[in-house]
Amino acid sequence: MRVLELAEPHAGPGQVRIKVAAAAVHPADTNIRKGLSAKYDPEVNPPSEVYVAGWEVAGTIDEVGQGARPELPLGAEVIAVTEPKLDLGGQAQYVVVPAESVVRAPKGVDLTAASTLLMAALTALMGVDALALAPGSTVAVTGAAGGIGGYAVQLAKEAGLTVIADAADKDRDLVASLGADHVLPRGDRFPDGIRQLRPDGADGVLDAGSVGDAVAAAVRDGAAIATFKGFTGDTDRGVRWFPVYVYDRIRDTAALTRLRDLAETGVLTLRVAGTYPLEQVAEAHRLIEAGGLRGRPVLLF
């Protein structure tokens, strides 16, 4: 990875340009760097000499294209989901974004923390929506201490669900603080622990920890499982699998606004693992790949 001087982008019709203050670094960014994204989705990641990574930013609007929403004026502090395709990613001094992918930054939250909200929270929200469980139902969340998993716990609670979450010993207090009703040890015994609490099994699973097939043992017949890396498993016992792709809703302004509002009121907890100048982006990638981060590294501009 290296810092490049690229041509300055400008907002076109229906777009705004954001002067970036902070850009979160995600595990998905490491897949772009390694070439895995190009391998599995060459249409979204076509061959190029230049890729700009980055799924989300926080900053200030400094150009407004014709037809952009009036609530996005010059000088507004905003957050946005960006599309890391070719040179469109968010880890840049200036980024041009479709207005539908931009919302006002949450009040009372600094832009560094605000930059960690949308991508992971939107992914988690899509999982909760896919399960479509009625209030009072029980959902299990794997990877609950991570970025997507933590938001999944909080969004499930906001939807009126009972949450059974997994955690390593060092993360039990964190996961409990996010609102999980029951915190069980992470690992192979997690489905058994759920069955002890709910003998028929949970009504659904948000598999943020990418447990895969094994997590089906935790759910009742006919239950639903949302996955976040395209995984689908067996449909024995009528179990339904819902792979979630965040690309499908990166222009869902209503969903982004809802997430902003939930962060603004404290329902969603924003977590920063550390801050780095752009020149230290490789260090942020190393930390992500080492695992165990509780929050996102954030690049500051």
Side-chain angles (χ1 to χ4, degrees):
M1 303 189 76
R2 62 194 188 278
V3 178
L4 300 174
E5 290 290 337
L6 301 177
E8 187 174 311
H10 293 282
Q15 298 175 328
V16 298
R17 188 175 79 170
I18 300 170
K19 187 177 189 301
V20 177
V25 182
H26 290 265
D29 294 330
T30 70
N31 293 335
I32 293 173
R33 190 197 80 241
K34 293 175 182 177
L36 295 177
S37 298
K39 177 180 178 182
Y40 292 111
D41 199 343
E43 182 178 344
V44 175
N45 299 272
S48 175
E49 292 297 315
V50 173
Y51 286 98
V52 178
W55 282 92
E56 60 185 337
V57 300
T60 305
I61 293 177
D62 77 339
E63 277 188 9
V64 178
Q66 184 178 4
R69 304 196 324 275
E71 61 266 34
L72 300 176
L74 286 172
E77 289 192 341
V78 294
I79 52 177
V81 181
T82 51
E83 185 178 4
K85 179 179 181 179
L86 301 177
D87 62 353
L88 300 177
Q91 293 168 14
Q93 184 180 9
Y94 295 97
V95 60
V96 170
V97 187
E100 298 95 329
S101 299
V102 184
V103 294
R104 177 180 55 79
K107 295 176 181 176
V109 177
D110 68 80
L111 291 179
T112 300
S115 75
T116 67
L117 172 65
L118 289 182
M119 194 269 199
L122 179 60
T123 305
L125 177 65
M126 292 173 67
V128 173
D129 288 349
L131 297 186
L133 298 177
S137 301
T138 297
V139 66
V141 179
T142 68
I148 295 172
Y151 286 133
V153 170
Q154 295 185 307
L155 288 167
K157 289 300 299 177
E158 197 265 341
L161 306 179
T162 297
V163 175
I164 305 173
D166 71 352
D169 286 344
K170 65 183 179 64
D171 292 322
R172 287 186 62 86
D173 289 345
L174 167 63
V175 173
S177 74
L178 296 174
D181 298 283
H182 306 278
V183 182
L184 303 180
R186 180 180 178 183
D188 294 343
R189 303 291 295 174
F190 183 56
D192 292 338
I194 292 171
R195 289 283 183 168
Q196 290 178 19
L197 292 169
R198 298 289 188 273
D200 291 336
D203 299 302
V205 174
L206 296 161
D207 189 21
S210 298
V211 173
D213 274 322
V215 82
V219 299
R220 61 169 174 78
D221 295 356
I225 301 173
T227 65
F228 302 102
K229 293 185 178 178
F231 182 83
T232 58
D234 292 334
T235 56
D236 297 342
R237 302 186 293 115
V239 172
R240 295 161 292 140
W241 297 80
F242 295 97
V244 167
Y245 300 96
V246 73
Y247 262 113
D248 293 342
R249 289 177 67 180
I250 61 174
R251 298 193 184 193
D252 185 341
T253 308
L256 302 181
T257 301
R258 178 184 172 198
L259 294 169
R260 187 274 315 284
D261 292 346
L262 291 173
E264 194 168 274
T265 57
V267 172
L268 297 180
T269 302
L270 311 182
R271 294 183 282 160
V272 176
T275 58
Y276 303 85
L278 185 61
E279 293 77 11
Q280 292 181 14
V281 63
E283 177 62 21
H285 275 236
R286 291 187 188 100
L287 289 171
I288 286 175
E289 290 180 311
L293 280 183
R294 296 301 172 243
R296 296 293 188 212
V298 177
L299 302 178
L300 301 182
F301 289 82

